[in-house]
Amino acid sequence: YKLGLFADPYKYCDTLRAEKELYTPEHRAVAREVAAETFVLLKNENHLLPLEEKGKIALIGPMADARNNMCGMWSMTCTPSRHGTLLEGIRSAVGDKAEILYAKGSNVYYDAEMEKGAVGIRPLERGNDQQLLAEALRTAARADVIVAAVGECAEMSGESPSRTNLEIPDAQQDLLKALVKTGKPVVLLLFTGRPLILNWESEHIPSILNVWFGGSETGDAVADVLFGKAVPCGKLTTTFPRSVGQIPFAFPFKPGSDSKGFVRVTGTLYPFGYGLSYTTFAYSDLKIENPVIGVQGSVKLNCKVKNTGKVAGDEVVQLYLHDEMSSVTTYVKVLRGFERIHLEPGEEKVIDFVLTPQEMGLWNKDNHFVVEPGTFAVMVGSSSQDIRLQGKFEVK
């Protein structure tokens, strides 16, 4: 009904409609904003990001000028000629304020057959590995800062292409290591459709921005975040492991699923709900309005969140719950609410949550959904591990 198909069943058969109604300036503006909001800032040592629009900036990597790769696997109908590359977006953003130097740097894989299988219907032009790296290092030597655009091709995380190794592909890993050895500050722009293992990258690269596959406006959206016109606010909806041997490894966790031991890798690299910002947020004053309820009752609670930084930004306030004693095994903590808020510098807001029987219930051994009497722990924070406030309530 909303599309008008019942009034005009053939409305969308007009072949000229696409020229008038798709890729309009209004639609592209929304796509650009949405893309920027999905990016997750994983690391930002010494506030390297946002970059200043000055000097010489080297953009290096096989994803930097890969027009066909921006949209991701499930956007094969994107018209590449109608959206820009990362290189074009960054050059457009800085204009004549800075010089953008470019080098491809590496192939996706050293092995041509591996790369052929990885890029599928959108091949990237291969070059000589040694020549590509040499060109990248010459380019990096002229720059003040290096932006490395690497990661997965779109087809590597589409339907069926599972991977046995979740690290950044070999040729690109060697490129990153060579760029870090130059001593220049490096920003890693990570293209991926799945959690990757980034142990070396997290230890050695000062800033990591996970941009996933942002769609048709990826180039401009990345530039917006790189230069501070947009502040990153995305949070991880999945868990980044430390080793492929930890898989399956997904939040929420049952007790003992991440227990410590001498012969196992423990802990997450980047936990569920994680994501940094260009500003900082302070949490305070958790209040549970009705700390004792019946099994059909609801709990109202609130807290304060304040922007303690110098720029405006969005924070995703996350509410987690733990049933301290249950008749069946439940999760260590489980997400039971979240609220995204925009705060100007110094601004503070009160965030309200309501926990209903639906959020507190469980399926018992008789397969009945019930709320069991007992104590529940409430945790509010910026990620599943970055808990800022804690409290408890009782169900009688």
Side-chain angles (χ1 to χ4, degrees), residues 278-281 306-312 344-346:
Y278 292 160
T279 188
T280 54
F281 301 94
K306 183 177 182 178
N307 184 343
T308 53
K310 297 180 180 179
V311 298
E344 296 293 324

Side-chain angles (χ1 to χ4, degrees), residues 340-358:
R340 176 178 162 173
I341 56 172
H342 179 80
L343 294 172
E344 296 293 324
E347 184 181 4
E348 184 177 67
K349 287 184 179 179
V350 176
I351 314 302
D352 296 300
F353 291 105
V354 177
L355 289 168
T356 70
Q358 180 64 38

Side-chain angles (χ1 to χ4, degrees), residues 290-299 321 323 325 355-362 364 369-376 393-396:
N290 46 338
V292 180
I293 61 170
V295 293
Q296 293 302 316
S298 296
V299 175
L321 190 66
D323 188 346
M325 184 64 70
L355 289 168
T356 70
Q358 180 64 38
E359 283 79 48
M360 293 178 275
L362 56 78
N364 66 16
F369 190 78
V370 298
V371 176
E372 295 184 338
T375 302
F376 289 77
F393 66 88
E394 186 178 0
V395 176
K396 287 194 172 182

Side-chain angles (χ1 to χ4, degrees), residues 159-177:
E159 186 174 358
S160 298
S162 299
R163 298 182 62 196
T164 57
N165 182 340
L166 293 181
E167 295 179 344
I168 292 174
D170 51 9
Q172 298 178 75
Q173 270 201 11
D174 287 349
L175 171 64
L176 281 175
K177 292 175 181 178

Side-chain angles (χ1 to χ4, degrees), residues 26-300:
E26 295 79 11
H27 291 172
R28 296 186 71 169
V30 172
R32 181 172 177 169
E33 180 181 357
V34 169
E37 291 174 355
T38 69
F39 302 157
V40 181
L41 184 61
L42 298 177
K43 184 181 178 183
N44 196 24
E45 193 174 87
N46 298 322
H47 305 287
L48 178 56
L49 291 177
L51 299 177
E52 295 185 63
E53 297 174 339
K54 68 177 186 179
K56 295 182 179 181
I57 302 171
L59 179 61
I60 299 174
M63 307 304 165
D65 198 28
R67 188 183 309 276
N68 292 347
N69 203 61
M70 296 293 100
C71 285
M73 178 60 184
W74 295 106
S75 303
M76 288 185 287
T77 55
C78 276
T79 309
S81 61
R82 300 182 70 169
H83 63 259
T85 66
L86 184 57
L87 176 61
E88 291 168 348
I90 291 177
R91 280 180 171 163
S92 174
V94 303
D96 58 2
K97 298 177 184 177
E99 183 179 357
I100 305 300
L101 312 174
Y102 165 72
K104 181 179 178 182
S106 76
N107 295 303
V108 177
Y109 284 100
Y110 284 126
D111 187 274
E113 288 301 312
M114 285 277 289
E115 179 157 338
K116 183 178 179 181
V119 301
I121 63 172
R122 290 179 272 207
L124 305 177
E125 184 178 346
R126 282 186 64 83
N128 177 274
D129 293 306
Q130 289 73 30
Q131 292 175 357
L132 289 173
L133 181 58
E135 179 191 11
L137 294 177
R138 288 194 298 270
T139 302
R142 298 169 52 205
D144 303 307
V145 62
I146 301 168
V147 177
V150 301
E152 294 187 314
C153 295
E155 278 78 6
M156 291 172 69
S157 56
E159 186 174 358
S160 298
S162 299
R163 298 182 62 196
T164 57
N165 182 340
L166 293 181
E167 295 179 344
I168 292 174
D170 51 9
Q172 298 178 75
Q173 270 201 11
D174 287 349
L175 171 64
L176 281 175
K177 292 175 181 178
L179 294 177
V180 169
K181 282 184 178 179
T182 66
K184 304 288 180 74
V186 177
V187 176
L188 168 57
L189 294 180
L190 180 66
F191 287 81
T192 181
R194 60 159 64 83
L196 294 185
I197 294 166
L198 304 169
N199 296 315
W200 184 92
E201 292 79 2
S202 292
E203 183 177 352
H204 294 92
I205 297 178
S207 288
I208 303 175
L209 181 66
N210 188 351
V211 299
W212 311 104
F213 296 109
S216 61
E217 308 307 310
T218 296
D220 289 330
V222 169
D224 289 342
V225 174
L226 277 181
F227 299 108
K229 295 182 177 65
V231 175
C233 59
K235 300 286 188 175
L236 291 181
T237 58
T238 184
T239 301
F240 275 48
R242 295 180 181 275
S243 166
V244 71
Q246 291 175 284
I247 296 173
F249 189 62
F251 183 87
F253 300 117
K254 291 291 182 69
S257 62
D258 191 27
S259 60
K260 297 184 183 300
F262 293 110
V263 293
R264 67 184 68 175
V265 176
T266 58
T268 62
L269 183 61
Y270 296 113
F272 176 89
Y274 176 85
L276 302 177
S277 175
Y278 292 160
T279 188
T280 54
F281 301 94
Y283 288 61
S284 64
D285 298 336
L286 175 63
K287 294 181 180 178
I288 300 176
E289 294 184 10
N290 46 338
V292 180
I293 61 170
V295 293
Q296 293 302 316
S298 296
V299 175
K300 295 181 179 180

